[in-house]
Amino acid sequence: MMISIRNLSKNYEEVQALKNISLEVKPKEIFGLIGPDGAGKTTLMRILTSLLLFDEGEVQVMGKSPISDYQFIRNHIGYMPGKFSLYEDLTVEENLSFFANIFGTTIEKSYDLIKDIYQQIEPFKKRKAGALSGGMKQKLALCAALIHYPKILFLDEPTTGVDPVSRKEFWHIIQQLHHHDITIFVSTPYMDEANLCDRIALIDKGEILNVDLPENISKAFDKTLYAIQCHEGNYQLIKKLREYTHFDSVFPFGEEVHYTDARATDIESDIKLYLEESGLTSIQIRKTASTIEDVFISLMNKN
Ligand SMILES: Nc1ncnc2c1ncn2[C@@H]1O[C@H](COP(=O)(O)OP(=O)(O)OP(=O)(O)O)[C@@H](O)[C@H]1O
């Protein structure tokens, strides 16, 4: 195993940031840690990268302890924190040379690994990092994290606040890195990115709710799910559905709302009738397949 975590807990005084977490990451996996703000993703990332101590449990990264073998771990991992952490007043080239130097390597030696990403920022290599666009900064930070050919790459929310096109590009890069024998541990609050990982862990309030292949997680929804729309919009629709006697769960899902009912039988026409009687018009209702987001919201509600 590249990462092995057993019964890990971490508190910040009265805040329990991680509660008895266990999971394993296999070599060459793209492993996604999916959860909302404050779930504990950064805390776990910082423990695994040897930057933060924990209270209880066992943690091994490449078979080593992040406490006693932190030097080994730091030499063999790449870490891209959520916040841009390179030197804004150094140029692109100077930043990369600086990190290459620390690890006793050169940009040339890692060129094969970073070239696809580096070529996109190379035209700006004389520009100060602080003057780069968000997407370019992110690519520079990724090059810096890869400069020493790490065995594991840790990416903490690499696509938060990034525009949809750059997000797609970034995931393409991550998937390409796979071919270089690198294990990737990536955190994200975006459910749609879960499907781009080999395996995922859903995390909420410091607890792991599920670990599995993305396709298995989306299948794990145990209720009939309805996608509903109406002319008056989602706000009114959700309000009315919450007031319905048979209401089980409801949340907005793009243009529609996703709804589950406490009854097991086919009840589309009942729901439609209730909504019409409540004054809503042009109601469209259909059964729909569950996504990871549906499963996550249902698990979060139970948690
Ligand atoms: N240094 C700290 N002192 C006290 N509480 C902290 C500290 N760092 C994090 N926390 C709390 O621990 C919990 C987990 O935070 P963490 O940053 O690990 O979550 P996250 O999933 O990375 O979310 P975000 O995307 O908001 O950073 C949160 O409740 C947070 O407020």
Side-chain angles (χ1 to χ4, degrees):
M1 286 297 154
M2 288 308 266
I3 299 175
S4 165
I5 302 168
R6 228 172 290 153
N7 306 117
L8 169 66
S9 294
K10 165 75 187 172
N11 299 334
Y12 299 103
E13 295 174 358
E14 71 277 11
V15 180
Q16 248 193 306
L18 296 175
K19 301 174 196 164
N20 203 24
I21 277 183
S22 297
L23 58 88
E24 289 187 324
V25 178
K26 297 173 201 158
K28 295 205 232 172
E29 267 190 317
I30 301 182
F31 189 93
L33 186 64
I34 321 282
D37 284 352
K41 303 182 298 298
T42 301
T43 301
L44 181 55
M45 204 59 84
R46 290 176 61 80
I47 289 172
L48 294 174
T49 52
S50 83
L51 299 171
L52 186 67
L53 296 174
F54 50 94
D55 302 317
E56 278 171 50
E58 283 168 51
V59 178
Q60 289 207 323
V61 177
M62 293 169 284
K64 307 272 184 189
S65 154
I67 299 173
S68 49
D69 298 314
Y70 67 89
Q71 201 59 56
F72 176 90
I73 291 177
R74 288 179 193 182
N75 285 338
H76 291 88
I77 61 158
Y79 175 42
M80 189 172 140
K83 262 200 203 135
F84 184 69
S85 58
L86 303 187
Y87 295 99
E88 303 232 343
D89 53 351
L90 295 186
T91 64
V92 166
E93 203 174 29
E94 286 164 346
N95 263 298
L96 284 183
S97 302
F98 176 83
F99 285 97
N101 252 320
I102 290 181
F103 288 102
T105 185
T106 58
I107 299 178
E108 291 70 35
K109 276 191 193 157
S110 313
Y111 200 72
D112 185 38
L113 176 62
I114 63 168
K115 72 167 184 288
D116 290 342
I117 320 161
Y118 186 59
Q119 277 166 0
Q120 299 176 40
I121 51 172
E122 211 169 5
F124 314 102
K125 65 183 181 187
K126 301 285 177 207
R127 188 179 289 184
K128 292 209 164 132
L132 293 173
S133 69
M136 291 292 166
K137 275 186 180 165
Q138 185 199 38
K139 283 174 189 148
L140 174 59
L142 184 58
C143 284
L146 288 169
I147 201 86
H148 56 301
Y149 244 105
K151 281 269 162 221
I152 311 182
L153 178 64
F154 290 91
L155 302 169
D156 193 2
E157 296 198 20
T159 55
T160 294
V162 174
D163 66 83
V165 174
S166 305
R167 265 173 68 186
K168 210 164 162 202
E169 246 178 57
F170 195 80
W171 273 97
H172 180 70
I173 292 171
I174 293 176
Q175 282 164 333
Q176 293 304 309
L177 287 173
H178 222 201
H179 305 307
H180 289 272
D181 213 5
I182 294 176
T183 305
I184 296 172
F185 189 89
V186 54
S187 72
T188 177
Y190 300 120
M191 302 285 158
D192 58 332
E193 294 182 346
N195 287 311
L196 304 169
C197 303
D198 297 322
R199 274 193 320 136
I200 54 171
L202 302 181
I203 184 168
D204 180 46
K205 298 194 205 95
E207 288 182 63
I208 300 284
L209 306 179
N210 205 345
V211 184
D212 210 331
L213 307 178
E215 54 269 35
N216 289 349
I217 292 198
S218 41
K219 276 191 236 143
F221 200 74
D222 54 2
K223 295 222 165 89
T224 306
L225 187 68
Y226 297 96
I228 313 180
Q229 266 181 307
C230 74
H231 171 71
E232 287 72 17
N234 284 354
Y235 178 78
Q236 284 300 329
L237 183 56
I238 289 172
K239 193 162 166 275
K240 291 296 172 198
L241 285 169
R242 285 221 170 102
E243 288 162 12
Y244 192 33
T245 334
H246 306 292
F247 158 78
D248 177 61
S249 75
V250 65
F251 71 93
F253 197 91
E255 306 265 282
E256 303 173 313
V257 306
H258 277 187
Y259 171 79
T260 60
D261 195 275
R263 295 163 295 176
T265 44
D266 285 340
I267 33 76
E268 282 105 314
S269 47
D270 282 10
I271 301 170
K272 197 169 177 199
L273 187 66
Y274 160 74
L275 291 172
E276 279 166 356
E277 282 171 357
S278 307
L280 301 184
T281 58
S282 308
I283 294 150
Q284 291 179 42
I285 176 163
R286 61 184 172 86
K287 288 198 184 99
T288 187
S290 55
T291 65
I292 289 171
E293 193 166 351
D294 294 302
V295 176
F296 199 173
I297 287 179
S298 146
L299 291 170
M300 271 166 63
N301 287 341
K302 284 185 199 154
N303 190 22

